[in-house]
Amino acid sequence: MPAAISVENLFASYDGKTVLNDVSFSIPRGASFALLGPNGAGKTTLVSILCTLRLPDRGTARISDFDVVRQPTKARETIGVVFQDSSLDDRLSAWENLEFHGLVHGLAPRLRRQRAEDVLALVELTEWSDEIVRSFSGGMRRRLEIARALMHQPTILFLDEPTVGLDPQTRQRIWSYLERLRREQHLTVLTTTHYIEEVESADQVCIIDHGQIIVQGTPADLKAAHGSRWLHVVPRDEATATEIAARYPQVQRLGTALALPVPDDAMADAFLATYRTRLEEIRFQEPTLESVFLSLTGRELRDRADGQRDAQRNAGRRGGQR
């Protein structure tokens, strides 16, 4: 069978600046695929091309074996999209939002009703179906957006930062919905996220930076090949930080903290013997996807979250999660 998503030698630019540089990858049907990268890495541009919202400069991209440039309408029929920023009409009820989406996709009246009932039940919003979306919490809105994206029974689902601004319980609930869909409907899911722990169970993880794919593989393979044990410390003063940076060239600065790769226990013991009394905080990090990302890019993914995301999280907390 053809791949669910196939990208070959894709290039894209804005105002003469290359945003995607010879990007190629393939996603099998039914797979969970995580696209990780800092802000400005090219993730949004790549997803926009795959969703037929913009054209590439060069290269090809196929969705369910439909070319996104030559057959955009056919490609759109097979995908559902949950954007990072809400696109619901908050003047309408939950049911009316789903009804409108069904009309856009040409679903017959009986099928629209059945699909709306099914997806509302999936995301546990049946009892709020007639409530105006404006009254919904951030978590309820995100669940409704997932329901709307599934109305026309797509085979591929794009999730752009699907759980940003949500509390841990709501985030877990959303991922349980998606995992159930993958099992029951063989749905292919492509996710971009700043919460790396959410994609530890993904089938494939792709790290992109400066418009290029750095590495791709299963989480286990990436951790085995690129993961490192790291020592994270917070020096008591800048003089100590400067001294450590000079002594250990591989140190990474993460705000006020420093991260050092730890090749063996002897290195850690020697470091702590010298600096323990001059440190405010000490913690070890075993190989994770976060450490893979840090090793390959020199920075932590979540530290790149911008002020807008922080504001969204705060708004989500103030609004509460039902």
Side-chain angles (χ1 to χ4, degrees):
M1 294 179 64
I5 299 174
S6 178
V7 176
E8 296 181 7
N9 310 117
L10 208 62
F11 290 81
S13 60
Y14 283 116
D15 297 326
K17 179 181 178 181
T18 299
V19 181
L20 295 176
N21 186 3
D22 200 17
V23 170
S24 298
F25 62 86
S26 179
I27 305 176
R29 293 178 184 272
S32 172
F33 187 89
L35 186 64
L36 303 179
N39 293 337
K43 303 189 305 299
T44 299
T45 300
L46 177 56
V47 171
S48 295
I49 291 172
L50 295 178
C51 293
T52 74
L53 297 178
R54 68 151 291 170
L55 298 175
D57 295 342
R58 280 187 288 149
T60 61
R62 302 185 72 84
I63 300 293
S64 298
D65 210 30
F66 296 115
D67 189 288
V68 298
V69 175
R70 295 192 300 245
Q71 301 165 290
T73 302
K74 290 289 187 182
R76 287 173 193 156
E77 291 173 355
T78 70
I79 67 173
V81 185
V82 177
F83 297 102
Q84 179 180 342
D85 297 323
S86 177
S87 57
L88 297 169
D89 190 328
D90 65 4
R91 299 164 298 178
L92 302 179
S93 68
W95 184 273
E96 288 168 336
N97 270 276
L98 298 180
E99 175 79 3
F100 181 76
H101 188 82
L103 284 167
V104 169
H105 280 271
L107 302 185
R110 182 177 296 179
L111 180 58
R112 283 203 308 274
R113 172 170 289 278
Q114 185 61 57
R115 289 300 301 154
E117 291 175 352
D118 290 345
V119 296
L120 284 172
L122 171 71
V123 299
E124 302 176 49
L125 288 177
T126 300
E127 62 182 292
W128 288 284
S129 63
D130 294 325
E131 298 294 325
I132 300 301
V133 170
R134 187 170 295 168
S135 67
F136 282 15
S137 69
M140 294 174 71
R141 290 184 186 217
R142 185 57 81 190
R143 284 150 56 193
L144 180 59
E145 287 181 292
I146 291 173
R148 182 183 62 179
L150 299 170
M151 268 288 289
H152 59 291
Q153 294 182 293
T155 57
I156 300 170
L157 184 63
F158 290 94
L159 303 168
D160 187 11
E161 301 283 359
T163 60
V164 69
L166 304 182
D167 64 82
Q169 293 79 14
T170 303
R171 287 164 53 193
Q172 181 58 43
R173 185 184 296 177
I174 284 174
W175 284 113
S176 70
Y177 301 148
L178 296 172
E179 186 56 34
R180 175 181 162 189
L181 283 168
R182 285 190 59 228
R183 290 196 311 267
E184 296 179 355
Q185 301 181 20
H186 207 55
L187 185 70
T188 304
V189 178
L190 185 152
T191 306
T192 72
T193 182
H194 273 72
Y195 299 113
I196 291 184
E197 68 275 9
E198 292 185 339
V199 295
E200 285 278 354
S201 61
D203 297 318
Q204 290 279 313
V205 173
C206 177
I207 295 178
I208 184 171
D209 198 14
H210 300 299
Q212 294 182 303
I213 292 179
I214 300 175
V215 70
Q216 179 183 336
T218 68
D221 288 345
L222 293 184
K223 284 185 274 190
H226 305 283
S228 302
R229 191 182 185 211
W230 288 79
L231 175 60
H232 292 251
V233 301
V234 178
R236 292 186 182 278
D237 51 57
E238 182 58 32
T240 301
T242 301
E243 182 180 324
I244 292 172
R247 187 169 180 177
Y248 297 91
Q250 290 182 301
V251 70
Q252 306 286 348
R253 281 187 174 266
L254 306 171
T256 60
L258 300 176
L260 297 88
V262 180
D264 51 49
D265 290 341
M267 177 271 174
D269 291 342
F271 176 86
L272 293 176
T274 303
Y275 293 106
R276 184 186 298 273
T277 59
R278 299 167 64 184
L279 303 173
E280 291 184 351
E281 182 180 324
I282 302 169
R283 67 179 175 90
F284 284 95
Q285 182 186 55
E286 298 302 322
T288 61
L289 284 179
E290 189 83 47
S291 71
V292 170
F293 190 86
L294 180 60
S295 297
L296 293 172
T297 68
R299 54 191 180 274
E300 286 187 322
L301 184 59
R302 204 172 302 169
D303 284 351
R304 302 282 294 186
D306 57 25
Q308 181 180 3
R309 282 194 181 83
D310 294 335
Q312 288 173 327
R313 291 194 185 98
N314 292 335
R317 294 191 189 100
R318 287 194 298 269
Q321 313 293 345
R322 282 183 268 182

